[in-house]
Amino acid sequence: MARKRKNSLFHGIFFASTIVGVVFLVLLIGQVVMKAIGWLDWQFITSMPSRRPDASGILVGIVGTFYLMLITAPLTFIIGVATALYMEEYAKDTKLSRIIQTNISNLAGVPSIVYGILGLTIFVRILEFGNSILAGALTMTLLVLPIIIVASQEAIKAVPMAQRHASFALGANRWQTIVRVVLPSAFPGIMTGAILSLSRAIGETAPLIVVGAVAYIAFLPESLLDQFTVMPIQIYTWSSLPQEEFQNVAAAGIVLLLVMLLSMNAIAIYLRNKYQKRH
């Protein structure tokens, strides 16, 4: 009886805290949306940053974020999935592989600022990429790589061994089994890891500030070695300015960033579910 009461109390507290959290989240989003009304328009999306709130736009941040994801997404997906496949399908259960696995899991919890310092040391100074899009993208790749590796490993582990054995029994070798059996079955879970990793990359600020992403740029980057800024840094800059109108501009940027994140996640989830139904 005492255990049942404790469980009931725990579930009650959890339910109440969830309701309170949802309410506060809705109020916060509602407040941001109200501030953004009248400021989020086509002129805001297509304009450069300005010292005047009514003329300020987020185009440079959108282009910088796009270039950043254009490099980060394929690098993260290819390296992450390849690493997960090697660890699960090829690597033997040795002391070294267990140490590597433990380090990969631990890296997923390292503060993002540490990756920024690492990117500053390696990509900005040693490799001399400077405060460029390339340095920022490689830093973000290091940041989100453990997430997709761990998610991909769990998705690969979830594929039943019977499917592998059936493929081997039909004469397929290990690589054919991986390409035609393991990867199609694990693809929905791998997509989930990719969604989570890229969503985190789009919303990160601290590592890019350390690498050298600047707050104000009056030109669009033309190459991967140009200076850049991203939407979160631009929003943070606006929110820290004393003029009250810039708070509305920052709110418009927040709403636009939320729409981009939700749209990207919705498309990815749709593709994942569609692919899962086929298999």
Side-chain angles (χ1 to χ4, degrees), residues 105-187:
S105 301
N106 290 336
L107 285 173
V110 173
S112 60
I113 191 69
V114 176
Y115 288 97
I117 297 173
L118 181 63
L120 175 65
T121 303
I122 298 177
F123 303 124
V124 176
R125 295 180 178 173
I126 295 179
L127 298 180
E128 297 183 352
F129 290 150
N131 304 327
S132 63
I133 295 174
L134 184 59
L138 293 176
T139 302
M140 298 308 295
T141 300
L142 293 179
L143 171 66
V144 301
L145 200 54
I147 300 175
I148 192 170
I149 291 175
V150 173
S152 299
Q153 283 185 277
E154 294 301 322
I156 293 170
K157 287 179 183 178
V159 179
M161 288 300 298
Q163 294 186 15
R164 295 177 173 86
H165 294 159
S167 179
F168 293 144
L170 293 174
N173 56 33
R174 177 173 292 184
W175 177 246
Q176 290 172 332
T177 300
I178 290 173
V179 173
R180 299 178 182 179
V181 177
V182 176
L183 278 180
S185 298
F187 187 76

Side-chain angles (χ1 to χ4, degrees), residues 67-68 70-71 129-137 221-228:
Y67 277 129
L68 203 70
L70 196 64
I71 303 173
F129 290 150
N131 304 327
S132 63
I133 295 174
L134 184 59
E222 297 180 355
S223 72
L224 298 181
L225 296 178
D226 286 346
Q227 287 187 321
F228 72 105

Side-chain angles (χ1 to χ4, degrees), residues 42-50 54-61 238:
W42 187 248
Q43 182 270 335
F44 172 76
I45 296 175
T46 58
S47 297
M48 297 287 190
S50 172
D54 57 342
S56 190
I58 200 170
L59 178 62
V60 175
W238 284 330

